[in-house]
Amino acid sequence: MSAAAEQPFETIEIAPMSPTIGAEIRGFRMCGDLPEEQIAEIRRALLDWKVIFFRDQDVRVEEHVAFGRRFGELEVHPFTPNREDHPEVVVIHHGPKSKLGQNTWHSDVTWRLEPSLGSILRGRVIPDIGGDTLFADMIAAYEGLPDEIREKIDCRTATHSFRHNFGRAMTDEQREAMSEKYPDAHHPVVRTHPETGQKGLYVNAAFTTAIDDMDPEESAKLLRFLYRQASVPEYQCRFRWQENSVAFWDNRAVQHYAAFDYVPAVRRVERVTVKGDAPF
Ligand code: SIN
């Protein structure tokens, strides 16, 4: 547990799920007009535990959106299906015909120059069995690396792109047009968290394409090793969804992976995403 996590909370209850990542939080109903002290404690819990969970949030979509706005401006995702009535709400819906899920470790929209700070995902239709989301603590992952690997990556940047993920479903022309709007981003391989100052591994299998200024074979080999760190059980927690459960994760500190093990059952979740800043 981080030193900060030992400070008591007064407006929420916290039930940690692992030594460094994940806590269930109780004591509020998600909406836009929670008191400032409670929002400050939720924010502190997010920094301490990197992903926090709330149960039984039977709220209107407007309340989900308004709650998200208490943590910053919300993004509109240019490539995902979004709600027509609230374009800032991403809809992730899979069912009998789905062939692909979100089952690659990633942090959200790292292909943006300023990737998301946090994502607030609510379960709407949850399968009886399966459909869990796994989260990996990328600060613990960085701290667990051998010294020689850390020395190799500490001052490097890597390229992130939407092309080999969202871009796969586009025509060449669409992909080129979108690349003008969303050019490749070059982010540090090791990111310093802007609020906690902790260093974390910031490359992911969904969007990172290469370590910059490195021989392509060496880069591919090193990236494969770095991606595998998210799969280490000691860095993880796993969330079993129920309808109206919410997961709020800090994209600057964790990666996530949605287990795609429930088809032909239906799973529908809705996400609002808080804008972040340029990694350093
Ligand atoms: C996501 O990648 O944002 C979705 C995660 C999930 O469906 O659990």
Side-chain angles (χ1 to χ4, degrees):
M1 192 190 295
S2 70
E6 287 160 16
Q7 250 180 275
F9 287 85
E10 291 183 355
T11 66
I12 50 175
E13 265 177 61
I14 310 253
M17 292 162 60
S18 88
T20 71
I21 176 169
E24 203 167 311
I25 303 220
R26 298 174 202 128
F28 67 95
R29 181 179 175 280
M30 200 166 67
C31 63
D33 52 13
L34 292 175
E36 195 45 58
E37 311 82 73
Q38 202 160 36
I39 293 291
E41 289 210 331
I42 295 169
R43 193 184 275 277
R44 178 153 69 85
L46 179 69
L47 293 179
D48 286 350
W49 295 103
K50 305 173 186 98
V51 52
I52 51 182
F53 305 101
F54 334 132
R55 298 283 185 190
D56 303 319
Q57 299 293 321
D58 185 8
V59 300
R60 287 178 296 113
V61 63
E62 289 77 14
E63 292 175 301
H64 184 183
V65 169
F67 177 74
R69 289 215 171 99
R70 296 296 299 275
F71 298 90
E73 208 181 320
L74 301 183
E75 288 173 5
V76 175
H77 199 298
F79 305 132
T80 53
N82 301 330
R83 277 184 71 126
E84 272 179 27
D85 54 350
H86 290 282
E88 60 280 78
V89 179
V90 172
V91 177
I92 300 166
H93 182 116
H94 293 297
K97 296 206 175 110
S98 302
K99 299 259 183 294
L100 290 173
Q102 275 67 29
N103 53 342
T104 303
W105 282 103
H106 67 285
S107 169
D108 289 322
V109 304
T110 63
W111 43 268
R112 281 191 193 265
L113 303 179
E114 296 185 336
S116 319
L117 178 158
S119 303
I120 306 172
L121 185 73
R122 178 157 70 118
R124 304 304 305 264
V125 180
I126 299 299
D128 290 340
I129 301 174
D132 295 359
T133 307
L134 288 80
F135 295 88
D137 179 346
M138 300 317 291
I139 290 159
Y142 173 70
E143 287 169 358
L145 289 175
D147 287 347
E148 65 274 18
I149 300 284
R150 285 206 237 170
E151 275 158 30
K152 228 180 211 174
I153 61 175
D154 268 346
C155 296
R156 295 274 183 177
T157 60
T159 305
H160 296 241
S161 168
F162 69 85
R163 285 167 168 264
H164 64 287
N165 189 293
F166 295 108
R168 274 201 308 244
M170 297 175 193
T171 62
D172 290 350
E173 293 74 36
Q174 285 169 333
R175 211 175 301 113
E176 288 324 305
M178 280 302 172
S179 297
E180 303 241 316
K181 230 168 156 188
Y182 303 103
D184 287 355
H186 300 272
H187 298 310
V189 174
V190 179
R191 170 173 197 172
T192 302
H193 193 290
E195 294 184 73
T196 65
Q198 291 171 306
K199 285 181 166 196
L201 201 48
Y202 199 64
V203 286
N204 69 82
F207 303 125
T208 311
T209 56
I211 297 184
D212 298 331
D213 306 316
M214 187 178 271
D215 166 73
E217 257 180 50
E218 192 187 352
S219 155
K221 188 167 166 220
L222 184 52
L223 282 176
R224 278 197 298 276
F225 173 80
L226 296 175
Y227 296 157
R228 277 203 303 277
Q229 303 313 304
S231 327
V232 173
E234 282 78 1
Y235 304 148
Q236 294 178 357
C237 70
R238 179 171 183 138
F239 188 57
R240 172 79 198 117
W241 290 92
Q242 294 161 357
E243 191 183 316
N244 291 322
S245 298
V246 172
F248 183 177
W249 61 89
D250 183 342
N251 280 299
R252 305 163 300 179
V254 304
Q255 290 189 27
H256 57 284
Y257 177 109
F260 190 55
D261 55 358
Y262 49 87
V263 166
V266 171
R267 179 180 186 269
R268 176 188 167 107
V269 290
E270 292 183 354
R271 185 178 99 197
V272 301
T273 316
V274 181
K275 282 188 182 173
D277 43 20
F280 56 88

